[in-house]
Amino acid sequence: MSEYITLKDNRDFSRLYKRGKSFVSPVLVTYVMKNKSGNLRFGITTGKKVGKAVKRTRSRRVIRAAYYQIYPNIKNGYDFVFVARGKTPYVKSQIIYSAMLKHLKTAGVLKEG
C-alpha cells in the first residue's frame, strides 16, 4: 500500500467541484473524478458553517479515518474531495464511514470482490 496523496492546490479542488461527480448525504458530500496520474488522491474541506476550529478539526479527523478504512478497496486513478456538512462533527465516525462507502459504491470506484 502506497502512502496517501492529498490534494493541496486550489485548482485541483475547483476542478473537482466543477467537473467531478458529486454524491450528497446529510453528513458528507463526496466529489469523484478520474485523474490521469493513476494515483489515488484526496482532499477534505470543512467550511465555517461546520463550526469553530475544534468542530472543523474533528470533522476532518473522522472523514480522514473513514477514508483510510476504505482506501485499500478503491480502484486507482481517482481524485476525491470530501466536504464536511453541518452535522459532521456531531456524528460517530461509523456513520461517516457508511455514508462514504455508499457514495463510493454509487460512484463505482470500489474494487470488485
Side-chain angles (χ1 to χ4, degrees):
M1 185 150 81
S2 64
E3 69 181 61
Y4 305 107
I5 303 170
T6 54
L7 296 172
K8 290 185 180 72
D9 291 345
N10 190 19
R11 64 161 190 247
D12 289 331
F13 282 89
S14 300
R15 185 173 53 88
L16 263 102
Y17 294 144
K18 284 192 189 88
R19 296 204 228 117
K21 188 126 182 52
S22 65
F23 304 90
V24 182
S25 75
V27 292
L28 185 72
V29 180
T30 306
Y31 290 88
V32 180
M33 194 171 142
K34 246 184 156 1
N35 66 30
K36 290 179 175 71
S37 70
N39 293 322
L40 275 177
R41 305 185 310 167
F42 79 106
I44 298 172
T45 315
T46 49
K48 290 276 168 91
K49 283 182 184 172
V50 174
K52 294 207 162 101
V54 174
K55 293 205 174 11
R56 293 198 302 270
T57 303
R58 176 181 155 66
S59 300
R60 280 194 294 273
R61 203 168 48 240
V62 293
I63 291 170
R64 198 176 305 116
Y67 177 75
Y68 290 165
Q69 270 184 295
I70 299 171
Y71 178 81
N73 306 321
I74 304 174
K75 296 175 190 168
N76 279 339
Y78 287 94
D79 286 349
F80 303 99
V81 168
F82 301 107
V83 182
R85 309 213 45 202
K87 287 185 178 177
T88 308
Y90 301 103
V91 297
K92 296 260 190 281
S93 55
Q94 194 54 45
I95 294 171
I96 305 286
Y97 171 81
S98 41
M100 188 181 290
L101 195 61
K102 188 172 164 235
H103 291 177
L104 299 179
K105 258 188 196 137
T106 311
V109 297
L110 295 178
K111 291 175 182 165
E112 309 301 318

